[in-house]
Amino acid sequence: MAVVISVANQKGGVGKTTLTMNLGFALSEMGKRVLLVDVDPQFNLTFGLIGMKVLEHSSRNVGTLMTRESEIEETIVPVKENLDLIPSHLNLSAKEIEIINAYNRERRLEKALIPVLPDYDYVLIDNPPSMGIFLVNSLTASDYVLIPLELSYFGVIGMQLMFNLMRMIREETNENLKLLGLVPNKFTKQTKVPKMRLKELKEAYPDAPILTTIPKAIALEKAQSEGKSIFEFEPNGRASKAFQKLAKEVVEIVEG
């Protein structure tokens, strides 16, 4: 039965999509069966994985799945061995109003995923940078939350918003939701500021696990622009090794 992990942060530009894609690839390379789910109306994960083929999925995407206009088996897109995708689409924003007005709206994604959970080891959900109905659905459907963040002042302070939302979700729709960890992203050793912010992060949230730090790397940006994982673009680089280490950490925490 799959473990469902939401990659989430209400702040934009922290690397959620990059983390979801490359962690998914790393887990699949370890032999884990992985399903990636793109619930972001900006569909960056979908575009990064299947490019312009996103246009072919107007009637088979995460939005139509949540409005029950498509079945999950016909919505899943194979990406590579051990790695599949439920795509987002340009029309996802329009589906938001439909979902908000639907019965049991917070559980639409959870119920849609149930039939395929036995087919996977991990489901990773890429979320939009907002506190809306898609993120609520994602957290309601998840076992864990993985939070990427940049080590800036506002990045560290903004963690409290995510923790508040997680507490609300535990109280209302998913009492078993757990924090998998924080992932400092775009880390650089060129200045003292990131190290100082990392120290502040540990002091501000002493109970939050801080996982592998992902370095700031031009290769990550180039890989995503070419629709490739970092493992396909620069398999022996710093970023690849960091994601491999992160994947092993995730497996150790989840599987014991």
Side-chain angles (χ1 to χ4, degrees):
M1 186 69 72
V3 173
V4 184
I5 301 171
S6 277
V7 180
N9 190 328
Q10 85 290 341
K11 192 175 185 301
V14 296
K16 291 186 291 293
T17 299
T18 301
L19 176 58
T20 306
M21 178 192 285
N22 289 295
L23 178 58
F25 267 81
L27 289 168
S28 71
E29 290 296 320
M30 292 172 68
K32 304 297 182 183
R33 296 165 301 164
V34 182
L35 175 64
L36 303 180
V37 183
D38 189 356
V39 296
D40 188 347
Q42 296 180 40
F43 62 89
N44 289 329
L45 177 64
T46 299
F47 191 76
L49 290 170
I50 63 173
M52 293 304 292
K53 287 184 179 178
V54 63
L55 299 175
E56 300 171 10
H57 295 276
S58 60
S59 61
R60 292 171 287 113
N61 58 70
V62 74
T64 59
L65 192 60
M66 291 170 70
T67 55
R68 299 175 182 167
E69 296 169 80
S70 64
E71 299 295 327
I72 192 162
E73 291 81 4
E74 65 182 0
T75 306
I76 292 173
V77 180
V79 175
K80 63 182 284 291
E81 186 180 3
N82 291 330
L83 188 67
D84 294 336
L85 168 71
I86 293 179
S88 181
H89 192 268
L90 294 79
N91 64 18
L92 184 57
S93 292
K95 296 290 180 187
E96 186 170 6
I97 297 170
E98 240 180 288
I99 295 164
I100 286 172
N101 292 319
Y103 173 73
N104 218 4
R105 61 188 179 185
E106 299 90 354
R107 298 191 179 276
R108 285 301 178 106
L109 183 60
E110 177 188 29
K111 289 183 178 297
L113 290 174
I114 287 172
V116 299
L117 291 182
D119 300 332
Y120 296 95
D121 298 305
Y122 289 89
V123 175
L124 303 181
I125 308 175
D126 186 27
N127 287 279
S130 68
M131 295 285 198
I133 191 65
F134 294 123
L135 181 55
V136 170
N137 262 268
S138 179
L139 297 181
T140 299
S142 294
D143 301 297
Y144 292 95
V145 183
L146 191 61
I147 307 178
L149 75 157
E150 281 193 73
L151 291 169
S152 63
Y153 175 77
F154 292 109
V156 172
I157 296 300
M159 282 297 93
Q160 194 57 53
L161 289 173
M162 272 304 302
F163 293 146
N164 290 346
L165 178 60
M166 287 176 64
R167 184 169 61 249
M168 183 196 79
I169 293 293
R170 287 192 195 105
E171 291 171 355
E172 300 293 337
T173 61
N174 182 4
E175 63 181 14
N176 298 314
L177 184 66
K178 295 180 285 291
L179 175 64
L180 184 58
L182 311 180
V183 180
N185 201 10
K186 304 180 185 180
F187 187 80
T188 175
K189 295 180 180 178
Q190 293 175 342
T191 69
K192 294 181 180 179
V193 174
K195 289 182 180 179
M196 182 175 70
R197 297 295 179 222
L198 185 58
K199 182 171 178 286
E200 291 171 353
L201 184 67
K202 291 176 180 177
E203 291 171 352
Y205 309 108
D207 298 326
I210 297 177
L211 306 185
T212 299
T213 297
I214 306 299
K216 185 178 177 67
I218 294 173
L220 279 169
E221 297 172 18
K222 287 184 176 179
Q224 195 164 332
S225 69
E226 292 184 19
K228 296 179 179 177
S229 73
I230 191 63
F231 304 103
E232 296 165 304
F233 186 83
E234 192 178 72
N236 298 312
R238 289 182 305 133
S240 295
K241 291 174 182 175
F243 275 110
Q244 287 170 338
K245 185 179 176 185
L246 177 62
K248 289 175 184 174
E249 261 185 323
V250 167
V251 170
E252 285 171 10
I253 294 169
V254 170
E255 300 181 21

Short mmCIF file of all heavy atoms in Angstrom, two decimals, residues 121-144:
data_model
loop_
_atom_site.label_atom_id
_atom_site.label_comp_id
_atom_site.label_asym_id
_atom_site.label_seq_id
_atom_site.Cartn_x
_atom_site.Cartn_y
_atom_site.Cartn_z
N ASP A 121 4.36 2.14 -4.20
CA ASP A 121 5.01 2.26 -2.90
C ASP A 121 4.92 3.69 -2.37
O ASP A 121 4.77 3.89 -1.16
CB ASP A 121 6.49 1.86 -3.02
CG ASP A 121 6.66 0.42 -3.46
OD1 ASP A 121 6.10 -0.48 -2.79
OD2 ASP A 121 7.33 0.17 -4.48
N TYR A 122 5.02 4.66 -3.29
CA TYR A 122 4.97 6.07 -2.90
C TYR A 122 4.11 6.87 -3.86
O TYR A 122 4.17 6.67 -5.08
CB TYR A 122 6.38 6.68 -2.88
CG TYR A 122 7.23 6.17 -1.74
CD1 TYR A 122 8.02 5.03 -1.91
CD2 TYR A 122 7.23 6.80 -0.50
CE1 TYR A 122 8.79 4.53 -0.87
CE2 TYR A 122 8.00 6.31 0.54
CZ TYR A 122 8.77 5.18 0.36
OH TYR A 122 9.52 4.69 1.40
N VAL A 123 3.30 7.76 -3.31
CA VAL A 123 2.59 8.76 -4.10
C VAL A 123 3.10 10.13 -3.63
O VAL A 123 3.03 10.45 -2.44
CB VAL A 123 1.06 8.68 -3.88
CG1 VAL A 123 0.36 9.82 -4.62
CG2 VAL A 123 0.52 7.33 -4.35
N LEU A 124 3.66 10.90 -4.55
CA LEU A 124 4.16 12.24 -4.23
C LEU A 124 3.27 13.28 -4.89
O LEU A 124 3.04 13.22 -6.10
CB LEU A 124 5.60 12.42 -4.75
CG LEU A 124 6.66 11.43 -4.27
CD1 LEU A 124 8.02 11.79 -4.86
CD2 LEU A 124 6.73 11.38 -2.76
N ILE A 125 2.75 14.23 -4.10
CA ILE A 125 1.82 15.23 -4.62
C ILE A 125 2.50 16.60 -4.64
O ILE A 125 2.96 17.10 -3.61
CB ILE A 125 0.54 15.30 -3.76
CG1 ILE A 125 -0.08 13.90 -3.60
CG2 ILE A 125 -0.45 16.26 -4.40
CD1 ILE A 125 -1.28 13.87 -2.66
N ASP A 126 2.57 17.19 -5.83
CA ASP A 126 3.11 18.54 -6.00
C ASP A 126 1.97 19.55 -5.86
O ASP A 126 0.96 19.45 -6.57
CB ASP A 126 3.77 18.66 -7.38
CG ASP A 126 4.50 19.99 -7.56
OD1 ASP A 126 4.93 20.58 -6.54
OD2 ASP A 126 4.62 20.45 -8.71
N ASN A 127 2.14 20.52 -4.96
CA ASN A 127 1.04 21.41 -4.60
C ASN A 127 1.26 22.85 -5.05
O ASN A 127 2.40 23.30 -5.20
CB ASN A 127 0.86 21.40 -3.08
CG ASN A 127 0.23 20.11 -2.60
OD1 ASN A 127 -0.97 19.94 -2.67
ND2 ASN A 127 1.06 19.19 -2.14
N PRO A 128 0.17 23.60 -5.21
CA PRO A 128 0.29 25.02 -5.58
C PRO A 128 0.74 25.85 -4.38
O PRO A 128 0.58 25.44 -3.23
CB PRO A 128 -1.14 25.39 -5.99
CG PRO A 128 -2.01 24.45 -5.22
CD PRO A 128 -1.24 23.17 -5.12
N PRO A 129 1.31 27.04 -4.65
CA PRO A 129 1.74 27.94 -3.56
C PRO A 129 0.56 28.74 -3.01
O PRO A 129 0.51 29.97 -3.15
CB PRO A 129 2.76 28.83 -4.25
CG PRO A 129 2.31 28.90 -5.67
CD PRO A 129 1.69 27.55 -5.97
N SER A 130 -0.41 28.05 -2.42
CA SER A 130 -1.59 28.73 -1.87
C SER A 130 -2.20 27.82 -0.82
O SER A 130 -1.87 26.65 -0.70
CB SER A 130 -2.61 29.02 -2.98
OG SER A 130 -3.17 27.81 -3.45
N MET A 131 -3.15 28.39 -0.07
CA MET A 131 -3.82 27.63 0.99
C MET A 131 -5.21 27.18 0.55
O MET A 131 -6.10 27.03 1.38
CB MET A 131 -3.94 28.49 2.25
CG MET A 131 -2.61 28.85 2.88
SD MET A 131 -1.91 27.45 3.74
CE MET A 131 -0.71 28.27 4.80
N GLY A 132 -5.44 26.98 -0.74
CA GLY A 132 -6.77 26.72 -1.26
C GLY A 132 -7.21 25.27 -1.18
O GLY A 132 -6.60 24.43 -0.51
N ILE A 133 -8.27 24.96 -1.93
CA ILE A 133 -8.92 23.66 -1.86
C ILE A 133 -8.03 22.52 -2.36
O ILE A 133 -8.13 21.38 -1.89
CB ILE A 133 -10.26 23.67 -2.64
CG1 ILE A 133 -11.09 22.41 -2.35
CG2 ILE A 133 -10.02 23.83 -4.15
CD1 ILE A 133 -11.55 22.28 -0.92
N PHE A 134 -7.10 22.81 -3.29
CA PHE A 134 -6.22 21.76 -3.79
C PHE A 134 -5.24 21.31 -2.70
O PHE A 134 -5.00 20.12 -2.53
CB PHE A 134 -5.48 22.23 -5.04
CG PHE A 134 -6.37 22.46 -6.22
CD1 PHE A 134 -6.41 23.68 -6.87
CD2 PHE A 134 -7.22 21.45 -6.68
CE1 PHE A 134 -7.25 23.90 -7.94
CE2 PHE A 134 -8.06 21.65 -7.77
CZ PHE A 134 -8.08 22.88 -8.40
N LEU A 135 -4.68 22.27 -1.97
CA LEU A 135 -3.76 21.91 -0.89
C LEU A 135 -4.50 21.19 0.23
O LEU A 135 -3.99 20.22 0.79
CB LEU A 135 -3.06 23.16 -0.35
CG LEU A 135 -2.04 22.93 0.77
CD1 LEU A 135 -0.98 21.92 0.38
CD2 LEU A 135 -1.38 24.25 1.18
N VAL A 136 -5.70 21.64 0.55
CA VAL A 136 -6.50 20.97 1.58
C VAL A 136 -6.79 19.52 1.17
O VAL A 136 -6.67 18.59 1.97
CB VAL A 136 -7.82 21.74 1.85
CG1 VAL A 136 -8.76 20.91 2.73
CG2 VAL A 136 -7.53 23.08 2.51
N ASN A 137 -7.15 19.30 -0.10
CA ASN A 137 -7.37 17.94 -0.60
C ASN A 137 -6.10 17.11 -0.49
O ASN A 137 -6.15 15.93 -0.10
CB ASN A 137 -7.83 17.98 -2.06
CG ASN A 137 -9.33 17.86 -2.20
OD1 ASN A 137 -9.86 16.77 -2.36
ND2 ASN A 137 -10.02 18.99 -2.11
N SER A 138 -4.99 17.69 -0.86
CA SER A 138 -3.72 16.99 -0.85
C SER A 138 -3.34 16.55 0.57
O SER A 138 -2.98 15.39 0.80
CB SER A 138 -2.63 17.90 -1.42
OG SER A 138 -1.38 17.26 -1.40
N LEU A 139 -3.45 17.46 1.53
CA LEU A 139 -3.08 17.14 2.91
C LEU A 139 -4.05 16.15 3.53
O LEU A 139 -3.66 15.30 4.34
CB LEU A 139 -3.01 18.42 3.75
CG LEU A 139 -1.95 19.45 3.33
CD1 LEU A 139 -1.98 20.65 4.26
CD2 LEU A 139 -0.56 18.83 3.29
N THR A 140 -5.31 16.23 3.14
CA THR A 140 -6.31 15.28 3.63
C THR A 140 -6.01 13.87 3.14
O THR A 140 -6.25 12.89 3.84
CB THR A 140 -7.72 15.72 3.20
OG1 THR A 140 -8.01 17.00 3.76
CG2 THR A 140 -8.78 14.73 3.67
N ALA A 141 -5.44 13.77 1.94
CA ALA A 141 -5.15 12.47 1.34
C ALA A 141 -3.78 11.91 1.76
O ALA A 141 -3.47 10.76 1.44
CB ALA A 141 -5.17 12.59 -0.19
N SER A 142 -2.99 12.68 2.47
CA SER A 142 -1.58 12.33 2.70
C SER A 142 -1.31 11.71 4.07
O SER A 142 -2.00 11.98 5.05
CB SER A 142 -0.71 13.58 2.54
OG SER A 142 -0.72 14.03 1.21
N ASP A 143 -0.26 10.91 4.09
CA ASP A 143 0.27 10.39 5.35
C ASP A 143 1.31 11.35 5.94
O ASP A 143 1.42 11.49 7.16
CB ASP A 143 0.94 9.03 5.12
CG ASP A 143 -0.02 8.00 4.55
OD1 ASP A 143 -0.99 7.68 5.23
OD2 ASP A 143 0.20 7.54 3.40
N TYR A 144 2.07 11.99 5.03
CA TYR A 144 3.18 12.86 5.45
C TYR A 144 3.18 14.16 4.63
O TYR A 144 2.67 14.20 3.52
CB TYR A 144 4.53 12.18 5.22
CG TYR A 144 4.81 10.98 6.10
CD1 TYR A 144 4.54 9.69 5.65
CD2 TYR A 144 5.38 11.14 7.37
CE1 TYR A 144 4.82 8.59 6.44
CE2 TYR A 144 5.67 10.03 8.17
CZ TYR A 144 5.38 8.77 7.69
OH TYR A 144 5.66 7.67 8.48
#
